């Protein structure tokens, strides 16, 4: 319809409407990508038979540790009301035999999984956190800071880790926190070296230069661009360090530097040594906790190698 002024009138134009986001929004899209990435990771991981076997063993030990109060009771470490006689051989009543106090070794091994796994996990997390922080900052800032930090790292690398852990556990009070700190602050240098090398490689990529040109600061570059690229390496390193942390906890407990109020696999070996199990031929006192330590350490190592192979196929880890 045309008016006398030469203008055209009609139905007002409807403003364009935005089509609904089929993905449900940026967050939904991000979660879908993460789920797809996790599904892709699992499809590749399960092709590694050794990694699947290690994961199955870890799940079995974790289930036993979580359900220990239901499986063996919460008074399994009571020395005043032991259910059996001292140093009984394995039988239908006591599958692993009894210790020098008459306690059921099967229940002690199950209960000891709680302490050994907890200490291994916490010590590994602390070690990887320290190593990642030092590695990322040393690779990003460089200069005198990187020189000083890496010289300190080299000093920790050449020093025997077990000796440093023993020294820390000796001067501090005997507790689980002491064991975690002693292991965590002495095993981080390897992670720091690996993360720094990966950070230096990431910092040379073009998108890092674009981020800096657009005004991205140090924290933005490290947290948004560098850290996500080094996280796969950190994840693989964590699984490998856990096995070393469990062995270190067992060693410290065997030397009498563990928590005297808790039951751990290393503490059981230390009790067996004090009871003269080796010279007396009480093999059942030594074998169960020793096998448990070896199996869990091997399982974490297998999982770590499988994770490395999935995240970096060029490693060519055998399946």
């Amino acid at each position: 319809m045309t008016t006398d002024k030469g203008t055209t009138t009609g139905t007002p134009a409807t403003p364009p409407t935005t089509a609904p986001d089929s993905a449900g929004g940026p967050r939904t899209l991000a979660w879908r990508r993460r789920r797809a990435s996790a599904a892709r990771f699992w499809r590749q991981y399960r092709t590694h038979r050794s990694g699947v076997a290690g994961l199955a063993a870890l799940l079995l030990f974790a289930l036993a540790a979580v359900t220990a109060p239901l499986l063996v009771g919460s008074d399994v470490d009571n020395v005043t009301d032991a259910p059996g006689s001292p140093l009984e051989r394995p039988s239908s009543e006591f599958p692993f035999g009894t210790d020098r106090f008459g306690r059921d070794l099967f229940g002690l091994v199950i209960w000891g999984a709680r302490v050994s796994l907890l200490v291994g996990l916490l010590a590994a997390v602390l070690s990887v956190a320290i190593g990642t922080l030092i590695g990322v900052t040393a690779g990003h800032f460089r200069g005198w800071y990187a020189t000083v930090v890496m010289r300190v790292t080299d000093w920790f690398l050449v020093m025997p880790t077990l000796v440093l852990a023993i020294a820390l556990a000796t001067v501090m009070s005997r507790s689980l926190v002491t064991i975690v700190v002693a292991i965590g602050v002495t095993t981080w240098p390897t992670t720091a070296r690996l993360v720094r090398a990966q950070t230096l490689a990431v910092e040379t990529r073009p998108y890092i230069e674009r981020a800096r040109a657009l005004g991205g600061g140090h924290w933005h570059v490290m947290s948004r661009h560098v850290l996500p690229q080094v996280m796969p390496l950190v994840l693989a390193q964590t699984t490998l360090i856990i096995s070393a942390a469990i062995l270190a906890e067992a060693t410290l407990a065997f030397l009498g530097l563990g928590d005297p109020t808790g039951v751990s696999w290393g503490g059981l070996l230390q009790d067996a040594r004090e009871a003269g199990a080796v010279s007396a031929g009480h093999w059942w006192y030594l074998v169960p906790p020793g096998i448990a330590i070896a199996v869990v350490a091997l399982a974490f190592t297998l999982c770590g190698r499988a994770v490395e192979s999935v995240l970096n196929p060029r490693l060519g880890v055998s399946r």
Side-chain angles (χ1 to χ4, degrees), residues 233 236-237 239-240 303-313 315 317:
L233 175 65
Q237 187 68 9
T239 58
L240 296 175
C303 290
R305 295 304 181 188
V307 170
E308 276 187 328
S309 181
V310 172
L311 298 179
N312 188 3
L315 292 175
V317 179

Side-chain angles (χ1 to χ4, degrees), residues 141-159:
F141 290 105
R142 307 180 189 181
W144 66 268
Y145 171 79
T147 301
V148 173
V149 168
M150 298 317 296
R151 294 296 78 79
V152 174
T153 303
D154 292 338
W155 182 83
F156 273 94
L157 280 174
V158 299
M159 289 293 293

Side-chain angles (χ1 to χ4, degrees), residues 34-140:
R34 291 170 185 171
R35 287 195 296 267
S37 178
R40 185 169 57 252
F41 173 85
W42 171 245
R43 285 195 302 268
Q44 297 176 8
Y45 181 91
R46 66 184 182 185
T47 61
H48 297 263
R49 293 188 296 272
S50 60
V52 173
L55 181 61
L58 291 179
L59 291 177
L60 181 61
F61 275 96
L63 180 63
V66 172
T67 61
L70 299 177
L71 292 176
V72 297
S74 58
D75 58 345
V76 67
D77 59 340
N78 189 356
V79 297
T80 60
D81 190 19
S85 302
L87 299 175
E88 288 188 29
R89 287 180 171 273
S91 60
S92 58
E93 184 180 2
F94 304 110
F96 291 173
T98 62
D99 67 351
R100 58 175 176 167
F101 302 109
R103 299 178 297 180
D104 183 13
L105 277 175
F106 176 78
L108 292 175
V109 171
I110 295 297
W111 196 265
R114 298 168 66 91
V115 174
S116 296
L117 292 177
L118 179 63
V119 171
L121 289 171
L122 293 179
V125 169
L126 177 61
S127 173
V128 169
I130 297 174
T132 302
L133 176 62
I134 292 178
V136 170
T137 54
H140 177 79

Side-chain angles (χ1 to χ4, degrees), residues 165-180:
I166 291 174
L168 288 176
T170 302
V171 299
M172 299 174 67
S173 60
R174 295 173 59 185
S175 64
L176 291 181
V177 176
T178 298
I179 298 298
V180 171

